[in-house]
Amino acid sequence: MGKFLFWIIVLGLAWMVLRYLVIRGRSVAPTEPAAPAQAPAEAMLQCAWCGVHMPASESVSAADGRVYCGREHLDAARNAAGS
């Protein structure tokens, strides 16, 4: 009975070690290709009318250098300044 218990323990430990090595091998060498490099982050600007932050590519600029989130807020600022 002692030899049987000994071999059960040895086989159990061998199975645990093998399983550990397989799991460790998966995390070290991924099978998926690496993700492509991401584009650099775009500058975020704040609307001079409402305060909302938006990417620089989506902003509308006035002649005085102020930035707005859309044409409507640019027109609203012009109308408020003219009144």
Side-chain angles (χ1 to χ4, degrees), residues 12-23:
L13 288 174
W15 178 74
M16 289 173 54
V17 168
L18 182 63
R19 198 169 154 199
Y20 170 77
L21 292 175
V22 168
I23 291 171

Side-chain angles (χ1 to χ4, degrees), residues 49 60-63 66 68 70-79:
W49 185 256
V60 178
S61 298
R66 293 185 182 184
Y68 298 92
R71 196 83 176 142
E72 295 82 16
H73 285 184
L74 174 62
D75 294 339
R78 285 181 181 163
N79 291 340

Side-chain angles (χ1 to χ4, degrees), residues 43-67:
M44 297 294 286
L45 304 174
Q46 186 175 12
C47 177
W49 185 256
C50 68
V52 169
H53 288 84
M54 70 270 169
S57 63
E58 296 178 16
S59 66
V60 178
S61 298
D64 62 358
R66 293 185 182 184
V67 179

Side-chain angles (χ1 to χ4, degrees), residues 27-40:
S27 65
V28 172
T31 57
E32 299 177 8
Q38 293 181 352

